[in-house]
Amino acid sequence: MAIKPDVPRGFGDTEPIEALEIERIQEALREAYRTFGFMPLDTPSVEYREVLTGSESGIAGDNQIFTVANIDYRRAESVTGPDGKEGYVVPPELGLRFDLTVPLARYVAKHGRELTFPFKRYHIGKVWRGERPQEGRYREFIQCDVDTIANRELTPYDDAEALATANYAFEKLGITDHFFKVNNRRAVQELLRATVGEQADAAAVLRVLDKREKVGDEAVLEELKSEAGIDSAQAKTLLEHLDAGYEKGLSDEFDAAVDELNEYVEIAVALGVPRERITVDPSLARGLGYYTGNVVETFIEGAEGIGSVCSGGRFDNLTENFGSQRYPGTGLSIGLSRLQAALASKGAGTTATERPLDLYLGVFSPDQRTEAYKLLATLRAEGVSVVSDPTENRPKKVMRAADRSPCRYAVVIGENEVSSGKAKIKDLESGQETEVSLDELATRVRELRDAGAAS
Amino acid sequence: MAIKPDVPRGFGDTEPIEALEIERIQEALREAYRTFGFMPLDTPSVEYREVLTGSESGIAGDNQIFTVANIDYRRAESVTGPDGKEGYVVPPELGLRFDLTVPLARYVAKHGRELTFPFKRYHIGKVWRGERPQEGRYREFIQCDVDTIANRELTPYDDAEALATANYAFEKLGITDHFFKVNNRRAVQELLRATVGEQADAAAVLRVLDKREKVGDEAVLEELKSEAGIDSAQAKTLLEHLDAGYEKGLSDEFDAAVDELNEYVEIAVALGVPRERITVDPSLARGLGYYTGNVVETFIEGAEGIGSVCSGGRFDNLTENFGSQRYPGTGLSIGLSRLQAALASKGAGTTATERPLDLYLGVFSPDQRTEAYKLLATLRAEGVSVVSDPTENRPKKVMRAADRSPCRYAVVIGENEVSSGKAKIKDLESGQETEVSLDELATRVRELRDAGAAS
């Protein structure tokens, strides 16, 4: 019986034009990461489940991890599970990684003694999450992480380097309308302690504050009471302090945290991040459970609804699950799909094109095939990308193949072109034609291409 | 209890220097593939198991496929399997891909109606096989495939394009001592039919012939008798024909297959492959079960023992498991680990270096930090890759950090350097020092780097 050629729910194919754009983005990120002194590290897609589940990372539940097993189906007998499901017994040993931070922690715990610190690595790779599939949410996606790990205390300089790296990467991608929201987890904690007291459920308070812009102060005061048991007077003090930004003087601990945050911003600016792109946002709350110091989220103007395209911060207890010595870390992760979505929603900052390759070379009759092979060899030796099908010689089919190819220009050679040594280059986007000598074809296509890329 | 930071058997971390070299190779391959008119396609790592198992590919057994399941461990009860193993019940629905050809077949069967043919795609990605782990054999590895799929018959031109692509890619990687062994499956079949008859077990005959160089003609004649029941006279005729290469005249079918093979070689040469790098090898037998026409294997001179670093050929029934219309394909796959191993075994053709980044910038006291930030911003804006740790100011530690960094050059700034505007660049490989003005630091490092890369 024929097998259905489907992909599992939550997984998808990435079509050529989009796949090429993803390659371009990844290459720009790698270059930016290296420029900032990070080196690549690759870890396996498959880790021991206990390595994955032992972490207190942002992932919601154990059931989001895909289990991996190598079963000999020829030998295994099928069994029926408690829920009546037929299947095979797998020991719960292996799983697919759900982020790139847990594998980094495992790597550092394993190799810490041999590494040179600060250990600066980037990692661009796929991760898998067994989330309920829904619109725009995939079970397999690409993360682009950059982290600095130390065997002593990290400083705001290390946090700022990560921020400057992300800014540099965005600029290299032609993005200039991104902005960073930064905060400091300890500053938030100390602010809450000083205004609403130790007993308050910080997570609940932050959840409510997160909605402030949407629902307004009245509703927030109400919810702070009902959700977090904070009386109205305390809640008002809290909101006032938030509105005043991080004015120092609440406590020594608070002031130290605010200094750490300010230093972070100042050094990032010194390292090249335009000051106007950084906003201190005391209500920035997401992911605070995981981080221990400065944190950042990144948005694209006009595409804020898509969410943060680059998030990160300081985590001082990277390897604690492995019982190894303490290794603090700081870094961030660019979400490739979100970044793409943000760029696409604006129709800007991207060079994605339907015609990314250079030239379609058509051939009108079998007599010109030898000439075509020669041209192909020359063009490619000069770095021109060419699609050709010298075995297709029906004029209509040749023109249609050129038009449907991913090439920007087309040249078709027949008897006349070969004898005169001249042919017409057609711009498949504008329809414009230019005559060119076949001897100069490679040079001419490169000129046209480079002029097009520059405009 | 602390979790052990181990990786599962058969999986491994790829350390920074090696990971960078792999990135470099992949980028060169992508560029070569695009130059030959191929576009990237990405498919999910996870496919339905029936898509994976339905194929008659080169993979030995069903048990080599890793099963993937998303289990809610909080709800699932554990069961005991027939073999006494404790675990969970997984329905055998999903698996990790074991090559990139089966997903391509699934993609073409699914999207055939919307695609433009010939469909030329490349795919560089990880694949997983549950093989018994052993020295140099990993359960996760990278394949770099390039294939042309048609909705009509393919021609030797399409086979030759793949060969020319691989040759171009190797040259771009600085490899010039590779050679291609080519053969044609139908030619072999017809030769056997004409010499040892229809009834002979072709697979058994080829297995014996494969050992000819090693064991000699006497042993081969014996084994052809004992293993394949071929009498000595027939076997001698076969060996004579092999020694004569593919001399035409055996049968019309044989002659047609030999023409197809010769055309393959001639067009590849016309497309730029040096003729001396191609050898027709009638005894090239591997993978013939899968292919239907011209086939190729590729070796590196002096590293033949590592095996073929690039194999492929024509497969005329790509999508037959999916009951869709017939789509013939031709292409090849470069095995990245093998290629690396071959290059490494020769210590040549690679630019892997222990110092791939440009500059370590050291800072002798906190007073020079601001100057350091400024230098960092300038250097990176000019594309110089820099590692720095301005918070480390103890001279001994700074020098040691520079030395252990992945950078080729080092500059350390202190009070004198900042006031004089001059510093010394140290080549960390040769130990040589050159004085430079801090204003020209970026330019000077780039000059040194480019001179080093050129030499």
Side-chain angles (χ1 to χ4, degrees):
Chain A
M1 218 189 71
I3 295 161
K4 280 181 69 177
D6 285 336
V7 290
R9 271 199 337 147
F11 293 89
D13 295 316
T14 308
E15 307 287 336
I17 297 288
E18 195 192 343
L20 190 65
E21 175 68 1
I22 289 174
E23 283 186 358
R24 190 188 69 90
I25 295 176
Q26 289 188 23
E27 186 54 21
L29 294 183
R30 279 193 286 265
E31 212 185 300
Y33 292 171
R34 286 194 296 262
T35 300
F36 277 74
F38 297 89
M39 288 279 287
L41 172 73
D42 194 24
T43 63
S45 308
V46 176
E47 296 271 0
Y48 281 119
R49 267 193 74 97
E50 67 164 5
V51 164
L52 299 174
T53 56
S55 72
E56 285 187 57
S57 71
I59 195 160
D62 196 5
N63 63 324
Q64 293 205 359
I65 298 171
F66 279 110
T67 298
V68 168
N70 176 22
I71 308 168
D72 189 342
Y73 279 83
R74 292 165 310 183
R75 261 172 266 161
E77 282 172 55
S78 97
V79 293
T80 307
D83 56 357
K85 210 170 242 175
E86 282 284 324
Y88 297 88
V89 175
V90 301
E93 278 172 8
L94 309 179
L96 290 174
R97 66 184 178 211
F98 58 83
D99 75 3
L100 302 174
T101 306
V102 172
L104 171 64
R106 194 266 307 142
Y107 177 84
V108 171
K110 188 177 168 70
H111 297 283
R113 281 163 195 280
E114 310 135 35
L115 297 179
T116 304
F117 290 100
F119 176 67
K120 295 163 80 77
R121 84 88 178 82
Y122 65 88
H123 192 175
I124 297 179
K126 288 192 171 164
V127 302
W128 295 267
R129 292 189 192 173
E131 298 182 279
R132 181 192 292 269
Q134 45 181 292
E135 187 58 32
R137 268 219 155 143
Y138 284 95
R139 295 181 142 188
E140 173 176 59
F141 50 96
I142 298 170
Q143 288 193 332
C144 313
D145 284 23
V146 60
D147 291 285
T148 300
I149 312 298
N151 54 358
R152 43 113 182 125
E153 291 310 308
L154 286 165
T155 70
Y157 165 76
D158 301 296
D159 302 328
E161 277 273 90
L163 192 61
T165 303
N167 182 66
Y168 185 93
F170 285 129
E171 287 181 354
K172 284 282 161 195
L173 286 168
I175 304 168
T176 51
D177 46 4
H178 56 287
F179 59 96
F180 301 105
K181 285 190 181 180
V182 298
N183 195 9
N184 182 290
R185 185 195 176 166
R186 287 190 301 118
V188 176
Q189 278 178 322
E190 297 300 329
L191 175 62
L192 293 182
R193 182 177 300 169
T195 54
V196 299
E198 299 268 2
Q199 80 296 341
D201 176 351
V205 174
L206 292 171
R207 259 200 311 278
V208 175
L209 290 177
D210 217 23
K211 296 189 273 182
R212 190 177 175 197
E213 246 178 70
K214 237 191 264 166
V215 300
D217 281 11
E218 280 305 304
V220 163
L221 291 175
E222 212 108 325
E223 279 201 42
L224 281 176
K225 176 134 210 162
S226 63
E227 302 286 315
I230 294 170
D231 73 40
S232 178
Q234 282 184 319
K236 273 185 187 157
T237 316
L238 173 60
L239 293 189
E240 279 165 24
H241 273 284
L242 284 176
D243 290 339
Y246 282 136
E247 216 166 87
K248 290 211 278 187
L250 273 179
S251 71
D252 287 353
E253 292 79 7
F254 177 77
D255 290 1
V258 172
D259 282 343
E260 191 179 77
L261 177 58
N262 291 337
E263 238 191 295
Y264 174 38
V265 175
E266 290 312 313
I267 299 176
V269 170
L271 290 170
V273 185
R275 186 180 294 274
E276 66 274 16
R277 287 209 194 128
I278 311 178
T279 317
V280 172
D281 182 352
S283 66
L284 182 69
R286 266 191 59 198
L288 283 182
Y290 183 62
Y291 296 109
T292 53
N294 291 322
V295 293
V296 60
E297 295 203 341
T298 315
F299 302 87
I300 307 285
E301 267 171 48
E304 290 88 348
I306 281 163
S308 172
V309 296
C310 165
S311 311
R314 177 85 66 87
F315 39 96
D316 272 332
N317 306 304
L318 182 68
T319 58
E320 63 182 346
N321 286 316
F322 301 102
S324 78
Q325 86 171 78
R326 193 159 156 277
Y327 293 104
T330 186
L332 42 80
S333 178
I334 294 181
L336 210 145
S337 309
R338 277 208 188 169
L339 182 60
Q340 261 197 306
L343 295 180
S345 84
K346 304 196 55 175
T350 159
T351 63
T353 156
E354 295 296 311
R355 303 197 168 280
L357 301 186
D358 295 329
L359 185 73
Y360 188 91
L361 179 68
V363 182
F364 275 144
S365 102
D367 296 342
Q368 287 92 46
R369 282 185 196 162
T370 308
E371 182 67 20
Y373 301 151
K374 226 171 68 190
L375 277 172
L376 283 169
T378 312
L379 287 159
R380 287 159 174 169
E382 303 247 349
V384 175
S385 55
V386 199
V387 179
S388 185
D389 186 4
T391 59
E392 175 57 80
N393 307 120
R394 290 164 294 179
K396 263 200 182 167
K397 293 268 188 176
V398 172
M399 293 320 298
R400 208 180 116 165
D403 206 55
R404 296 184 65 176
S405 79
C407 303
R408 174 67 187 268
Y409 305 99
V411 161
V412 187
I413 58 168
E415 208 180 317
N416 291 341
E417 284 75 11
V418 171
S419 64
S420 71
K422 286 195 174 123
K424 278 184 183 144
I425 296 185
K426 182 176 180 183
D427 183 331
L428 293 168
E429 260 177 28
S430 68
Q432 216 169 9
E433 293 189 322
T434 336
E435 201 177 66
V436 66
S437 141
L438 289 179
D439 290 344
E440 290 167 0
L441 187 55
T443 315
R444 193 75 194 104
V445 172
R446 281 166 54 192
E447 281 169 7
L448 285 169
R449 174 188 68 188
D450 296 345
S455 71
Chain B
M1 216 191 71
I3 296 162
K4 278 182 71 177
D6 283 338
V7 291
R9 272 202 332 150
F11 293 89
D13 296 315
T14 308
E15 308 286 337
I17 296 289
E18 195 192 344
L20 189 65
E21 175 68 2
I22 288 174
E23 283 187 358
R24 189 188 72 90
I25 295 176
Q26 289 188 20
E27 185 55 21
L29 294 183
R30 279 193 287 265
E31 211 185 301
Y33 292 172
R34 286 194 296 263
T35 300
F36 278 73
F38 296 89
M39 288 278 288
L41 172 74
D42 195 25
T43 63
S45 309
V46 176
E47 297 270 1
Y48 281 120
R49 267 191 75 96
E50 66 164 5
V51 164
L52 299 174
T53 57
S55 72
E56 286 187 54
S57 70
I59 195 161
D62 196 4
N63 63 324
Q64 293 204 358
I65 298 171
F66 279 110
T67 297
V68 167
N70 176 21
I71 308 168
D72 189 342
Y73 279 84
R74 291 166 309 184
R75 260 173 264 162
E77 284 173 54
S78 99
V79 293
T80 307
D83 56 356
K85 209 168 243 174
E86 281 284 325
Y88 298 89
V89 175
V90 300
E93 278 170 10
L94 308 178
L96 290 174
R97 66 182 179 214
F98 58 83
D99 74 3
L100 302 174
T101 306
V102 172
L104 171 64
R106 195 265 308 142
Y107 177 84
V108 171
K110 188 176 168 70
H111 298 284
R113 281 162 196 281
E114 311 136 34
L115 297 177
T116 304
F117 290 100
F119 177 67
K120 295 163 79 78
R121 84 88 178 82
Y122 65 88
H123 192 174
I124 297 179
K126 288 193 171 164
V127 303
W128 295 266
R129 293 190 190 172
E131 298 181 281
R132 181 192 290 270
Q134 44 181 291
E135 187 59 30
R137 269 219 154 145
Y138 283 95
R139 296 180 143 192
E140 175 178 55
F141 50 96
I142 297 170
Q143 287 193 333
C144 314
D145 284 23
V146 60
D147 290 286
T148 299
I149 312 297
N151 53 357
R152 43 117 182 120
E153 292 308 309
L154 286 165
T155 71
Y157 166 76
D158 301 296
D159 302 329
E161 278 272 90
L163 192 62
T165 304
N167 183 65
Y168 185 94
F170 285 129
E171 286 182 355
K172 284 283 161 193
L173 286 168
I175 305 168
T176 51
D177 46 3
H178 56 287
F179 60 96
F180 301 106
K181 285 190 180 179
V182 298
N183 196 9
N184 182 289
R185 187 199 173 163
R186 287 188 304 118
V188 176
Q189 277 178 322
E190 296 300 327
L191 175 63
L192 293 183
R193 182 176 301 167
T195 53
V196 299
E198 298 269 3
Q199 79 297 340
D201 177 350
V205 174
L206 292 171
R207 261 199 310 278
V208 176
L209 290 178
D210 217 25
K211 297 188 272 182
R212 190 176 174 196
E213 247 178 68
K214 236 191 266 169
V215 301
D217 281 10
E218 279 305 305
V220 163
L221 291 176
E222 297 264 303
E223 278 201 42
L224 281 176
K225 174 133 212 165
S226 62
E227 302 286 315
I230 293 170
D231 73 38
S232 176
Q234 282 184 317
K236 273 186 186 157
T237 315
L238 173 60
L239 293 189
E240 279 165 24
H241 273 283
L242 285 175
D243 290 339
Y246 282 135
E247 212 166 274
K248 290 212 278 187
L250 273 179
S251 71
D252 287 353
E253 292 78 8
F254 176 76
D255 290 1
V258 171
D259 282 343
E260 191 179 77
L261 177 58
N262 290 337
E263 239 191 293
Y264 174 39
V265 175
E266 289 312 313
I267 300 177
V269 170
L271 291 170
V273 185
R275 185 179 295 273
E276 65 273 17
R277 286 207 196 129
I278 310 178
T279 317
V280 171
D281 183 352
S283 67
L284 181 68
R286 265 191 60 199
L288 283 182
Y290 182 62
Y291 296 108
T292 53
N294 291 321
V295 294
V296 60
E297 296 204 337
T298 315
F299 302 86
I300 306 286
E301 267 171 49
E304 290 88 346
I306 281 163
S308 172
V309 297
C310 166
S311 310
R314 177 84 67 84
F315 39 99
D316 273 332
N317 306 303
L318 181 68
T319 58
E320 63 184 347
N321 286 314
F322 301 102
S324 78
Q325 83 170 82
R326 195 161 155 274
Y327 293 105
T330 186
L332 41 80
S333 178
I334 294 180
L336 211 144
S337 309
R338 276 210 190 166
L339 182 60
Q340 261 197 308
L343 296 180
S345 85
K346 304 193 55 172
T350 161
T351 63
T353 156
E354 295 297 310
R355 303 197 167 278
L357 302 186
D358 296 327
L359 186 72
Y360 188 90
L361 179 68
V363 181
F364 275 144
S365 103
D367 296 340
Q368 289 92 45
R369 281 185 196 164
T370 309
E371 182 67 20
Y373 301 151
K374 226 172 66 189
L375 277 172
L376 284 169
T378 311
L379 287 159
R380 286 157 175 173
E382 304 246 351
V384 175
S385 55
V386 199
V387 178
S388 185
D389 185 3
T391 59
E392 175 57 80
N393 308 119
R394 290 164 293 179
K396 261 198 185 167
K397 292 266 188 178
V398 173
M399 294 319 300
R400 207 180 117 165
D403 206 55
R404 296 183 65 175
S405 80
C407 303
R408 174 66 188 267
Y409 304 99
V411 161
V412 187
I413 58 169
E415 208 180 317
N416 291 342
E417 285 75 11
V418 172
S419 64
S420 72
K422 289 200 173 115
K424 278 186 184 143
I425 296 184
K426 182 174 178 183
D427 182 333
L428 294 167
E429 259 177 28
S430 68
Q432 214 168 10
E433 291 189 324
T434 336
E435 202 178 62
V436 66
S437 139
L438 289 179
D439 292 341
E440 291 168 1
L441 186 54
T443 315
R444 194 74 195 105
V445 173
R446 280 166 55 192
E447 281 169 7
L448 285 169
R449 174 188 68 186
D450 297 344
S455 71

